[in-house]
Amino acid sequence: MDRIIIRGGERLIGEVKVSGSKNASLPIFAASLLAEGENLFHNVPKLRDILTIARVLKNLGVKVQGENGAYRIDATEVSNNEAPYDLVKTMRASILVLGPLVARMRKARVSLPGGCAIGARPINLHLMGLEAMGAKIDLRSGYVEAKADRLKGADISFDTTTVTGTEHLMMAATLAKGKTVLQNAAMEPEVVDLASVLKKMGAKIEGAGTSLIEIEGVESLHATEHTIIPDRIEAGTLMVAAGLTRGNIKLHRCPFHNMEAVIHKLRETGMEIDPEGEGVRVIGSRRIRSVDVKTQPYPGFPTDMQAQFMTLMSLSRGLSIITETIFENRFIHVNELQRMGADIRIEGNTAIIQGVESLSGAQVMATDLRASASLIVAGLAAEGVTEISRVYHLDRGYEELDKKLAGLGANIKRVKEKD
Ligand code: EPZ
Protein backbone atom coordinates (compact mmCIF):
# COMPACT_ATOMS: atom_id res chain seq x y z
CA MET A 1 0.00 0.00 0.00
CA ASP A 2 1.46 3.35 -1.02
CA ARG A 3 2.53 5.98 1.45
CA ILE A 4 2.74 9.75 1.01
CA ILE A 5 5.56 11.68 2.63
CA ILE A 6 5.32 15.44 3.13
CA ARG A 7 7.84 17.91 4.54
CA GLY A 8 5.67 20.82 5.67
CA GLY A 9 6.26 24.56 5.47
CA GLU A 10 6.19 25.26 1.74
CA ARG A 11 3.80 27.97 0.52
CA LEU A 12 1.58 26.78 -2.36
CA ILE A 13 2.14 29.02 -5.38
CA GLY A 14 1.00 28.44 -8.96
CA GLU A 15 -1.92 27.19 -11.02
CA VAL A 16 -3.82 23.88 -11.02
CA LYS A 17 -6.79 22.37 -12.87
CA VAL A 18 -9.68 20.92 -10.91
CA SER A 19 -10.67 17.43 -12.12
CA GLY A 20 -14.14 16.16 -12.99
CA SER A 21 -16.54 15.32 -10.17
CA LYS A 22 -16.43 11.81 -8.70
CA ASN A 23 -19.93 12.15 -7.27
CA ALA A 24 -21.37 13.28 -10.59
CA SER A 25 -19.55 10.58 -12.58
CA LEU A 26 -20.75 7.60 -10.53
CA PRO A 27 -24.54 8.06 -11.03
CA ILE A 28 -23.99 9.16 -14.64
CA PHE A 29 -22.15 5.90 -15.36
CA ALA A 30 -25.07 3.99 -13.81
CA ALA A 31 -27.53 5.97 -15.98
CA SER A 32 -25.94 4.44 -19.10
CA LEU A 33 -27.84 1.23 -18.24
CA LEU A 34 -31.12 2.97 -19.04
CA ALA A 35 -30.62 3.05 -22.81
CA GLU A 36 -29.20 1.25 -25.83
CA GLY A 37 -26.39 2.92 -27.73
CA GLU A 38 -22.96 4.32 -26.99
CA ASN A 39 -22.58 7.20 -24.51
CA LEU A 40 -19.50 9.42 -24.55
CA PHE A 41 -18.55 11.09 -21.27
CA HIS A 42 -15.73 13.66 -21.05
CA ASN A 43 -13.76 15.02 -18.07
CA VAL A 44 -14.13 11.78 -16.11
CA PRO A 45 -11.64 11.81 -13.21
CA LYS A 46 -8.95 9.09 -12.99
CA LEU A 47 -10.02 7.50 -9.68
CA ARG A 48 -10.26 4.06 -8.12
CA ASP A 49 -14.01 4.53 -7.67
CA ILE A 50 -14.40 5.13 -11.41
CA LEU A 51 -12.49 1.91 -12.15
CA THR A 52 -14.82 0.12 -9.73
CA ILE A 53 -18.08 1.35 -11.30
CA ALA A 54 -16.60 0.50 -14.71
CA ARG A 55 -15.94 -3.06 -13.49
CA VAL A 56 -19.50 -3.30 -12.15
CA LEU A 57 -20.85 -2.25 -15.57
CA LYS A 58 -18.52 -4.62 -17.46
CA ASN A 59 -19.70 -7.42 -15.18
CA LEU A 60 -23.23 -6.66 -16.40
CA GLY A 61 -22.09 -7.09 -20.02
CA VAL A 62 -21.81 -3.36 -20.73
CA LYS A 63 -19.01 -2.22 -23.07
CA VAL A 64 -16.79 0.29 -21.25
CA GLN A 65 -13.69 1.94 -22.74
CA GLY A 66 -11.89 4.73 -20.99
CA GLU A 67 -8.85 6.73 -21.95
CA ASN A 68 -7.49 10.15 -21.03
CA GLY A 69 -10.59 11.12 -19.12
CA ALA A 70 -13.08 10.17 -21.83
CA TYR A 71 -15.29 7.08 -21.46
CA ARG A 72 -17.35 5.32 -24.13
CA ILE A 73 -20.10 3.26 -22.42
CA ASP A 74 -22.47 1.09 -24.48
CA ALA A 75 -25.23 -0.74 -22.59
CA THR A 76 -27.02 -2.07 -25.66
CA GLU A 77 -26.27 -5.62 -24.48
CA VAL A 78 -26.91 -6.16 -20.77
CA SER A 79 -26.23 -9.88 -20.43
CA ASN A 80 -26.21 -10.12 -16.64
CA ASN A 81 -28.29 -8.41 -13.97
CA GLU A 82 -26.21 -9.08 -10.89
CA ALA A 83 -23.71 -6.81 -9.09
CA PRO A 84 -21.62 -9.06 -6.83
CA TYR A 85 -20.55 -8.46 -3.23
CA ASP A 86 -16.82 -8.29 -3.98
CA LEU A 87 -17.40 -5.26 -6.21
CA VAL A 88 -20.19 -3.51 -4.30
CA LYS A 89 -18.35 -3.82 -0.97
CA THR A 90 -15.47 -1.70 -2.34
CA MET A 91 -17.75 1.10 -3.52
CA ARG A 92 -21.23 1.50 -2.08
CA ALA A 93 -22.47 3.78 -4.89
CA SER A 94 -22.58 0.59 -7.00
CA ILE A 95 -26.09 0.18 -5.55
CA LEU A 96 -27.13 2.83 -8.10
CA VAL A 97 -27.24 0.16 -10.84
CA LEU A 98 -30.24 -1.50 -9.14
CA GLY A 99 -32.93 0.96 -10.22
CA PRO A 100 -31.76 1.32 -13.84
CA LEU A 101 -31.52 -2.48 -14.19
CA VAL A 102 -35.07 -2.97 -12.89
CA ALA A 103 -36.35 -0.11 -15.08
CA ARG A 104 -34.76 -1.51 -18.24
CA MET A 105 -34.40 -5.29 -17.63
CA ARG A 106 -37.29 -5.77 -15.20
CA LYS A 107 -35.13 -7.47 -12.57
CA ALA A 108 -31.82 -7.14 -10.74
CA ARG A 109 -29.81 -8.67 -7.93
CA VAL A 110 -27.33 -6.33 -6.24
CA SER A 111 -25.28 -6.92 -3.12
CA LEU A 112 -26.33 -4.77 -0.20
CA PRO A 113 -23.59 -2.21 0.43
CA GLY A 114 -22.27 -2.66 3.96
CA GLY A 115 -21.71 0.25 6.28
CA CYS A 116 -18.47 2.16 6.08
CA ALA A 117 -16.09 4.03 8.35
CA ILE A 118 -18.26 7.15 8.53
CA GLY A 119 -21.56 5.49 9.35
CA ALA A 120 -24.15 2.74 8.84
CA ARG A 121 -25.31 4.41 5.60
CA PRO A 122 -28.53 2.44 5.13
CA ILE A 123 -30.35 2.41 1.78
CA ASN A 124 -33.85 2.01 3.18
CA LEU A 125 -35.04 5.18 1.42
CA HIS A 126 -33.75 3.90 -1.94
CA LEU A 127 -35.69 0.64 -1.49
CA MET A 128 -38.79 2.39 -0.09
CA GLY A 129 -38.94 4.47 -3.26
CA LEU A 130 -38.52 1.52 -5.62
CA GLU A 131 -41.27 -0.36 -3.76
CA ALA A 132 -43.53 2.69 -4.05
CA MET A 133 -42.89 2.49 -7.80
CA GLY A 134 -44.11 -1.11 -7.82
CA ALA A 135 -40.89 -3.07 -7.55
CA LYS A 136 -41.00 -6.31 -5.57
CA ILE A 137 -38.01 -6.16 -3.23
CA ASP A 138 -36.55 -9.16 -1.40
CA LEU A 139 -33.49 -9.08 0.83
CA ARG A 140 -31.78 -12.46 0.68
CA SER A 141 -28.30 -13.56 1.82
CA GLY A 142 -26.88 -10.06 1.69
CA TYR A 143 -28.39 -9.20 -1.69
CA VAL A 144 -31.29 -7.01 -2.80
CA GLU A 145 -33.43 -8.80 -5.36
CA ALA A 146 -35.79 -6.45 -7.18
CA LYS A 147 -38.25 -7.09 -9.97
CA ALA A 148 -41.07 -5.26 -11.77
CA ASP A 149 -42.71 -5.80 -15.13
CA ARG A 150 -42.83 -2.05 -15.44
CA LEU A 151 -42.23 0.53 -12.73
CA LYS A 152 -45.06 3.00 -12.23
CA GLY A 153 -44.87 6.64 -11.25
CA ALA A 154 -45.30 7.41 -7.53
CA ASP A 155 -45.34 10.27 -5.05
CA ILE A 156 -42.24 9.81 -2.88
CA SER A 157 -41.21 11.93 0.10
CA PHE A 158 -37.78 11.40 1.65
CA ASP A 159 -37.70 11.43 5.49
CA THR A 160 -34.02 12.36 5.22
CA THR A 161 -32.45 14.22 2.31
CA THR A 162 -30.39 11.61 0.47
CA VAL A 163 -28.10 12.41 -2.48
CA THR A 164 -27.80 8.97 -4.06
CA GLY A 165 -31.36 8.13 -2.98
CA THR A 166 -32.59 11.09 -5.04
CA GLU A 167 -30.34 10.13 -7.96
CA HIS A 168 -31.37 6.46 -7.78
CA LEU A 169 -35.12 7.09 -7.89
CA MET A 170 -34.82 9.89 -10.46
CA MET A 171 -33.10 7.40 -12.80
CA ALA A 172 -35.65 4.63 -12.16
CA ALA A 173 -38.55 7.04 -12.72
CA THR A 174 -37.40 8.05 -16.21
CA LEU A 175 -38.75 4.77 -17.68
CA ALA A 176 -41.69 4.28 -15.30
CA LYS A 177 -45.29 4.49 -16.51
CA GLY A 178 -46.68 7.84 -15.41
CA LYS A 179 -45.38 10.65 -13.23
CA THR A 180 -43.07 10.44 -10.21
CA VAL A 181 -42.73 13.26 -7.69
CA LEU A 182 -39.70 13.35 -5.36
CA GLN A 183 -40.24 15.58 -2.31
CA ASN A 184 -37.44 16.67 0.03
CA ALA A 185 -35.08 15.72 -2.81
CA ALA A 186 -31.35 16.47 -2.59
CA MET A 187 -30.30 19.67 -4.42
CA GLU A 188 -26.59 18.91 -4.88
CA PRO A 189 -24.93 20.04 -8.16
CA GLU A 190 -24.20 16.37 -8.86
CA VAL A 191 -27.96 15.65 -8.86
CA VAL A 192 -28.38 18.50 -11.38
CA ASP A 193 -25.58 17.15 -13.59
CA LEU A 194 -27.19 13.69 -13.60
CA ALA A 195 -30.55 15.24 -14.50
CA SER A 196 -28.97 17.11 -17.41
CA VAL A 197 -27.57 13.82 -18.75
CA LEU A 198 -30.95 12.08 -18.35
CA LYS A 199 -32.72 14.94 -20.15
CA LYS A 200 -30.21 14.71 -23.01
CA MET A 201 -31.07 10.97 -23.11
CA GLY A 202 -34.74 11.93 -23.62
CA ALA A 203 -36.04 11.92 -20.05
CA LYS A 204 -38.71 14.40 -18.93
CA ILE A 205 -37.48 15.95 -15.64
CA GLU A 206 -38.47 19.22 -13.97
CA GLY A 207 -37.09 20.72 -10.77
CA ALA A 208 -33.63 19.12 -10.49
CA GLY A 209 -31.64 21.34 -8.10
CA THR A 210 -34.74 22.06 -6.01
CA SER A 211 -36.31 19.92 -3.27
CA LEU A 212 -39.22 19.00 -5.57
CA ILE A 213 -38.38 16.97 -8.68
CA GLU A 214 -41.03 15.74 -11.14
CA ILE A 215 -40.28 13.00 -13.67
CA GLU A 216 -42.71 12.02 -16.45
CA GLY A 217 -41.84 8.46 -17.51
CA VAL A 218 -41.14 7.73 -21.19
CA GLU A 219 -41.04 4.50 -23.21
CA SER A 220 -37.31 4.55 -23.90
CA LEU A 221 -34.16 6.65 -23.76
CA HIS A 222 -31.16 7.00 -26.08
CA ALA A 223 -27.44 7.39 -25.50
CA THR A 224 -25.83 10.83 -25.28
CA GLU A 225 -22.58 12.79 -24.86
CA HIS A 226 -21.73 14.86 -21.77
CA THR A 227 -18.87 16.65 -20.02
CA ILE A 228 -18.81 15.96 -16.28
CA ILE A 229 -18.90 19.05 -14.01
CA PRO A 230 -15.77 19.88 -11.97
CA ASP A 231 -15.35 18.41 -8.49
CA ARG A 232 -16.35 21.05 -5.91
CA ILE A 233 -14.89 18.99 -3.04
CA GLU A 234 -11.48 18.69 -4.70
CA ALA A 235 -11.62 22.44 -5.39
CA GLY A 236 -12.49 23.12 -1.74
CA THR A 237 -9.68 20.86 -0.57
CA LEU A 238 -7.16 22.76 -2.73
CA MET A 239 -8.49 26.05 -1.31
CA VAL A 240 -7.94 24.79 2.25
CA ALA A 241 -4.41 23.73 1.27
CA ALA A 242 -3.71 27.31 0.12
CA GLY A 243 -5.26 28.65 3.34
CA LEU A 244 -2.99 26.46 5.47
CA THR A 245 0.23 27.49 3.71
CA ARG A 246 -0.42 31.25 3.18
CA GLY A 247 -0.46 30.23 -0.45
CA ASN A 248 -1.42 32.10 -3.57
CA ILE A 249 -2.88 29.77 -6.22
CA LYS A 250 -5.17 29.93 -9.23
CA LEU A 251 -7.71 27.15 -9.79
CA HIS A 252 -8.81 26.40 -13.36
CA ARG A 253 -12.24 24.79 -14.03
CA CYS A 254 -13.26 25.70 -10.49
CA PRO A 255 -17.05 25.36 -9.90
CA PHE A 256 -17.16 28.72 -8.11
CA HIS A 257 -20.97 28.99 -8.26
CA ASN A 258 -21.49 25.56 -6.67
CA MET A 259 -19.32 26.44 -3.67
CA GLU A 260 -21.09 29.37 -2.02
CA ALA A 261 -21.14 27.93 1.51
CA VAL A 262 -17.51 26.75 1.41
CA ILE A 263 -16.20 30.02 -0.09
CA HIS A 264 -18.22 32.08 2.38
CA LYS A 265 -16.69 30.21 5.34
CA LEU A 266 -13.16 30.29 3.96
CA ARG A 267 -13.44 34.06 3.38
CA GLU A 268 -14.56 34.40 7.01
CA THR A 269 -11.27 32.77 8.06
CA GLY A 270 -9.46 35.62 6.26
CA MET A 271 -8.80 34.05 2.85
CA GLU A 272 -9.32 35.92 -0.42
CA ILE A 273 -11.22 33.89 -3.04
CA ASP A 274 -12.26 35.69 -6.22
CA PRO A 275 -12.89 34.93 -9.88
CA GLU A 276 -9.89 35.87 -12.04
CA GLY A 277 -10.31 35.47 -15.80
CA GLU A 278 -11.42 31.90 -16.51
CA GLY A 279 -10.32 30.72 -13.08
CA VAL A 280 -10.43 31.53 -9.36
CA ARG A 281 -7.66 33.21 -7.37
CA VAL A 282 -7.17 31.85 -3.84
CA ILE A 283 -4.93 33.67 -1.34
CA GLY A 284 -4.26 32.43 2.20
CA SER A 285 -3.96 34.90 5.06
CA ARG A 286 -1.17 35.13 7.62
CA ARG A 287 -3.65 34.81 10.49
CA ILE A 288 -6.39 32.17 10.22
CA ARG A 289 -9.50 33.40 12.00
CA SER A 290 -11.59 30.85 13.95
CA VAL A 291 -14.97 30.13 12.34
CA ASP A 292 -17.82 27.82 13.36
CA VAL A 293 -19.30 25.39 10.82
CA LYS A 294 -22.32 23.08 10.76
CA THR A 295 -22.58 20.57 7.91
CA GLN A 296 -25.88 20.57 6.00
CA PRO A 297 -27.33 19.20 2.76
CA TYR A 298 -26.66 21.45 -0.26
CA PRO A 299 -26.62 24.45 -0.43
CA GLY A 300 -25.30 24.26 3.15
CA PHE A 301 -21.68 23.52 4.11
CA PRO A 302 -20.89 20.05 2.69
CA THR A 303 -20.02 17.20 5.04
CA ASP A 304 -17.33 16.18 2.52
CA MET A 305 -15.42 19.37 3.42
CA GLN A 306 -15.74 18.98 7.20
CA ALA A 307 -12.48 17.12 7.85
CA GLN A 308 -10.40 19.46 5.66
CA PHE A 309 -11.94 22.53 7.31
CA MET A 310 -11.17 21.10 10.74
CA THR A 311 -7.48 20.94 9.82
CA LEU A 312 -7.61 24.64 8.90
CA MET A 313 -9.30 25.47 12.22
CA SER A 314 -6.65 23.50 14.14
CA LEU A 315 -4.20 26.30 13.18
CA SER A 316 -6.63 29.19 13.70
CA ARG A 317 -6.25 31.98 16.27
CA GLY A 318 -8.97 30.91 18.67
CA LEU A 319 -11.79 28.47 19.33
CA SER A 320 -14.08 27.06 16.64
CA ILE A 321 -16.97 24.61 16.78
CA ILE A 322 -17.70 22.13 14.00
CA THR A 323 -21.00 20.23 14.05
CA GLU A 324 -21.47 17.18 11.82
CA THR A 325 -25.19 16.65 11.14
CA ILE A 326 -25.08 14.22 8.19
CA PHE A 327 -23.08 11.17 9.30
CA GLU A 328 -22.87 9.65 12.75
CA ASN A 329 -19.17 8.85 12.77
CA ARG A 330 -17.31 11.37 10.68
CA PHE A 331 -14.69 12.50 13.18
CA ILE A 332 -12.28 9.61 12.58
CA HIS A 333 -9.61 12.06 11.39
CA VAL A 334 -9.60 13.76 14.84
CA ASN A 335 -7.37 11.15 16.52
CA GLU A 336 -4.76 11.46 13.80
CA LEU A 337 -4.87 15.28 13.87
CA GLN A 338 -4.44 15.13 17.67
CA ARG A 339 -1.32 13.04 17.14
CA MET A 340 0.00 15.94 15.06
CA GLY A 341 -0.62 18.30 17.97
CA ALA A 342 -4.12 19.56 17.22
CA ASP A 343 -6.20 20.53 20.27
CA ILE A 344 -9.64 19.05 19.51
CA ARG A 345 -12.35 17.84 21.89
CA ILE A 346 -15.36 15.81 20.77
CA GLU A 347 -18.78 16.08 22.36
CA GLY A 348 -21.28 13.91 20.49
CA ASN A 349 -21.53 15.23 16.92
CA THR A 350 -19.65 18.39 17.81
CA ALA A 351 -15.91 19.05 17.70
CA ILE A 352 -14.43 21.94 19.69
CA ILE A 353 -11.12 23.05 18.15
CA GLN A 354 -8.70 25.27 20.04
CA GLY A 355 -6.24 26.63 17.49
CA VAL A 356 -2.55 25.91 18.16
CA GLU A 357 0.62 27.68 17.00
CA SER A 358 1.78 24.75 14.91
CA LEU A 359 1.24 21.11 14.08
CA SER A 360 4.12 18.65 14.09
CA GLY A 361 4.70 16.07 11.40
CA ALA A 362 3.95 12.46 12.38
CA GLN A 363 3.22 9.03 11.00
CA VAL A 364 -0.56 8.90 10.48
CA MET A 365 -3.03 6.58 8.82
CA ALA A 366 -5.82 7.41 6.40
CA THR A 367 -9.19 5.87 7.27
CA ASP A 368 -11.64 7.28 4.78
CA LEU A 369 -11.51 9.44 1.69
CA ARG A 370 -11.96 12.90 3.17
CA ALA A 371 -10.09 12.07 6.40
CA SER A 372 -7.05 11.22 4.26
CA ALA A 373 -7.35 14.62 2.54
CA SER A 374 -7.44 16.36 5.92
CA LEU A 375 -4.17 14.62 6.89
CA ILE A 376 -2.50 15.53 3.60
CA VAL A 377 -3.32 19.24 4.02
CA ALA A 378 -2.25 19.03 7.68
CA GLY A 379 1.12 17.68 6.54
CA LEU A 380 1.57 20.66 4.22
CA ALA A 381 1.39 23.03 7.21
CA ALA A 382 3.06 20.86 9.87
CA GLU A 383 6.64 21.31 11.03
CA GLY A 384 8.78 18.41 9.94
CA VAL A 385 7.82 15.25 8.07
CA THR A 386 4.37 13.65 7.91
CA GLU A 387 3.96 10.16 6.55
CA ILE A 388 0.46 9.04 5.58
CA SER A 389 -0.20 5.32 5.09
CA ARG A 390 -3.16 3.58 3.40
CA VAL A 391 -3.44 6.29 0.74
CA TYR A 392 -5.61 4.02 -1.36
CA HIS A 393 -8.43 5.80 0.48
CA LEU A 394 -7.21 9.04 -1.09
CA ASP A 395 -6.93 7.52 -4.56
CA ARG A 396 -10.62 6.58 -4.45
CA GLY A 397 -11.67 10.20 -4.74
CA TYR A 398 -8.75 12.48 -5.63
CA GLU A 399 -7.03 12.42 -9.02
CA GLU A 400 -3.28 12.61 -8.41
CA LEU A 401 -3.63 15.05 -5.50
CA ASP A 402 0.01 14.52 -4.52
CA LYS A 403 1.19 15.46 -8.03
CA LYS A 404 -1.11 18.51 -8.09
CA LEU A 405 0.27 19.71 -4.74
CA ALA A 406 3.87 19.04 -5.83
CA GLY A 407 3.13 21.14 -8.92
CA LEU A 408 2.18 23.98 -6.58
CA GLY A 409 5.49 23.74 -4.70
CA ALA A 410 4.67 21.30 -1.90
CA ASN A 411 7.46 19.01 -0.73
CA ILE A 412 5.43 15.84 -1.20
CA LYS A 413 6.19 12.45 -2.67
CA ARG A 414 4.51 9.09 -3.01
CA VAL A 415 6.38 5.96 -1.97
CA LYS A 416 5.10 3.00 -3.89
CA GLU A 417 4.88 -0.17 -1.88
CA LYS A 418 4.11 -3.58 -3.30
CA ASP A 419 0.63 -4.48 -2.00
C1 EPZ B 1 -23.42 11.02 -1.07
O1 EPZ B 1 -23.48 9.84 -0.29
C2 EPZ B 1 -21.95 11.20 -1.43
N1 EPZ B 1 -21.51 10.06 -2.23
C3 EPZ B 1 -21.12 11.32 -0.16
O2 EPZ B 1 -19.78 11.56 -0.55
C4 EPZ B 1 -21.63 12.52 0.64
O3 EPZ B 1 -20.90 12.61 1.85
C5 EPZ B 1 -23.12 12.34 0.93
O4 EPZ B 1 -23.85 12.17 -0.30
C6 EPZ B 1 -23.72 13.55 1.65
O5 EPZ B 1 -23.54 14.69 0.87
C7 EPZ B 1 -21.86 10.01 -3.54
O6 EPZ B 1 -22.52 10.89 -4.06
C8 EPZ B 1 -21.36 8.82 -4.32
P1 EPZ B 1 -26.85 10.42 1.68
P2 EPZ B 1 -24.93 9.20 0.06
O7 EPZ B 1 -27.73 9.32 1.21
O8 EPZ B 1 -25.87 9.49 -1.03
C9 EPZ B 1 -29.00 8.78 5.55
C10 EPZ B 1 -17.46 11.26 -0.53
O9 EPZ B 1 -16.62 11.48 0.34
N2 EPZ B 1 -29.70 7.83 4.67
O10 EPZ B 1 -27.10 11.81 1.17
O11 EPZ B 1 -24.68 7.79 0.45
C11 EPZ B 1 -27.51 8.49 5.64
O12 EPZ B 1 -27.25 7.51 6.62
C12 EPZ B 1 -18.76 10.61 -0.16
O13 EPZ B 1 -17.34 11.58 -1.75
C13 EPZ B 1 -30.67 6.99 5.22
O14 EPZ B 1 -30.93 7.01 6.42
O15 EPZ B 1 -25.35 10.04 1.33
C14 EPZ B 1 -26.94 9.85 6.02
O16 EPZ B 1 -27.04 10.03 7.41
C15 EPZ B 1 -18.81 10.22 1.29
N3 EPZ B 1 -31.32 6.12 4.40
C16 EPZ B 1 -27.88 10.83 5.32
O17 EPZ B 1 -29.05 10.09 4.97
C17 EPZ B 1 -31.07 6.05 3.05
O18 EPZ B 1 -31.71 5.25 2.34
C18 EPZ B 1 -27.31 11.44 4.05
O19 EPZ B 1 -26.81 10.37 3.27
C19 EPZ B 1 -30.08 6.92 2.51
C20 EPZ B 1 -29.42 7.81 3.34
Side-chain angles (χ1 to χ4, degrees), residues 7-273:
R7 177 172 292 281
E10 303 294 337
R11 291 185 65 209
L12 296 190
I13 305 286
E15 308 203 3
V16 66
K17 182 175 77 65
V18 177
S19 297
S21 165
K22 166 177 86 77
N23 290 349
S25 301
L26 296 175
I28 288 170
F29 270 45
S32 63
L33 287 165
L34 290 165
E36 296 189 1
E38 183 182 82
N39 297 282
L40 177 54
F41 299 132
H42 303 283
N43 197 37
V44 178
K46 209 162 57 190
L47 304 172
R48 284 167 67 102
D49 276 7
I50 297 297
L51 297 178
T52 303
I53 191 81
R55 281 176 61 201
V56 169
L57 291 175
K58 284 177 187 165
N59 184 61
L60 297 171
V62 177
K63 292 196 188 74
V64 183
Q65 285 166 305
E67 56 184 313
N68 305 328
Y71 269 80
R72 291 180 184 283
I73 303 180
D74 186 335
T76 303
E77 299 293 326
V78 176
S79 52
N80 172 26
N81 60 16
E82 183 163 325
Y85 172 69
D86 66 329
L87 286 179
V88 177
K89 77 172 186 296
T90 58
M91 209 262 305
R92 47 180 305 97
S94 311
I95 191 66
L96 288 171
V97 304
L98 180 73
L101 281 173
V102 174
R104 169 116 180 273
M105 313 303 290
R106 298 203 297 278
K107 67 178 184 169
R109 184 169 184 269
V110 176
S111 169
L112 271 167
C116 80
I118 63 177
R121 303 187 72 185
I123 57 163
N124 58 309
L125 300 176
H126 298 233
L127 303 183
M128 169 277 288
L130 289 174
E131 276 184 327
M133 295 168 78
K136 186 175 175 317
I137 303 271
D138 290 304
L139 302 183
R140 204 169 294 152
S141 43
Y143 278 74
V144 187
E145 297 179 2
K147 46 166 113 26
D149 285 338
R150 177 155 189 202
L151 293 172
K152 59 185 187 338
D155 279 355
I156 295 164
S157 179
F158 291 108
D159 300 345
T160 312
T161 304
T162 160
V163 176
T164 49
T166 300
E167 293 164 345
H168 200 169
L169 299 179
M170 184 165 70
M171 286 192 280
T174 59
L175 293 176
K177 184 168 178 49
K179 179 175 175 179
T180 297
V181 178
L182 302 180
Q183 305 200 33
N184 193 21
M187 303 189 273
E188 270 68 4
E190 294 75 29
V191 173
V192 176
D193 205 35
L194 171 64
S196 63
V197 171
L198 293 170
K199 285 189 271 192
K200 284 197 265 187
M201 293 173 79
K204 292 192 172 67
I205 301 173
E206 296 296 328
T210 76
S211 60
L212 183 75
I213 302 178
E214 297 184 338
I215 306 106
E216 192 64 53
V218 295
E219 292 305 310
S220 67
L221 297 174
H222 53 77
T224 189
E225 183 167 356
H226 183 74
T227 298
I228 305 284
I229 56 170
D231 193 309
R232 61 193 169 98
I233 305 302
E234 183 198 28
T237 305
L238 291 166
M239 289 178 182
V240 167
L244 278 163
T245 60
R246 297 194 321 284
N248 185 329
I249 66 174
K250 182 169 184 178
L251 301 183
H252 292 279
R253 287 200 196 166
C254 177
F256 186 82
H257 301 295
N258 285 340
M259 299 179 67
E260 301 90 342
V262 171
I263 290 171
H264 172 72
K265 286 293 178 183
L266 290 176
R267 283 172 171 163
E268 274 192 29
T269 71
M271 293 180 66
E272 291 173 50
I273 303 173

Side-chain angles (χ1 to χ4, degrees), residues 209-388:
T210 76
S211 60
L212 183 75
I213 302 178
E214 297 184 338
I215 306 106
E216 192 64 53
V218 295
E219 292 305 310
S220 67
L221 297 174
H222 53 77
T224 189
E225 183 167 356
H226 183 74
T227 298
I228 305 284
I229 56 170
D231 193 309
R232 61 193 169 98
I233 305 302
E234 183 198 28
T237 305
L238 291 166
M239 289 178 182
V240 167
L244 278 163
T245 60
R246 297 194 321 284
N248 185 329
I249 66 174
K250 182 169 184 178
L251 301 183
H252 292 279
R253 287 200 196 166
C254 177
F256 186 82
H257 301 295
N258 285 340
M259 299 179 67
E260 301 90 342
V262 171
I263 290 171
H264 172 72
K265 286 293 178 183
L266 290 176
R267 283 172 171 163
E268 274 192 29
T269 71
M271 293 180 66
E272 291 173 50
I273 303 173
D274 297 292
E276 181 183 284
E278 286 300 300
V280 176
R281 173 66 56 188
V282 181
I283 302 173
S285 66
R286 295 191 66 78
R287 291 169 54 89
I288 300 168
R289 283 200 290 271
S290 304
V291 170
D292 295 347
V293 150
K294 185 174 182 180
T295 64
Q296 299 281 6
Y298 193 87
F301 190 93
T303 174
D304 291 350
M305 279 297 302
Q306 180 257 103
Q308 302 91 309
F309 195 82
M310 188 181 291
T311 300
L312 185 64
M313 289 300 97
S314 66
L315 286 171
S316 67
R317 290 271 190 268
L319 189 110
S320 65
I321 295 181
I322 294 183
T323 308
E324 171 58 56
T325 70
I326 307 294
F327 291 113
E328 63 269 28
N329 186 32
R330 204 167 197 178
F331 286 147
I332 311 163
H333 45 285
V334 170
N335 295 333
E336 298 300 282
L337 288 174
Q338 285 166 334
R339 294 183 57 245
M340 296 177 75
D343 178 351
I344 305 170
R345 203 172 73 247
I346 303 293
E347 285 180 11
N349 68 341
T350 298
I352 298 110
I353 302 105
Q354 179 64 50
V356 293
E357 276 301 307
S358 65
L359 295 175
S360 58
Q363 287 181 301
V364 292
M365 187 174 76
T367 50
D368 77 86
L369 170 53
R370 307 304 173 181
S372 48
S374 74
L375 298 175
I376 295 271
V377 296
L380 297 175
E383 289 174 357
V385 176
T386 299
E387 185 177 304
I388 298 118

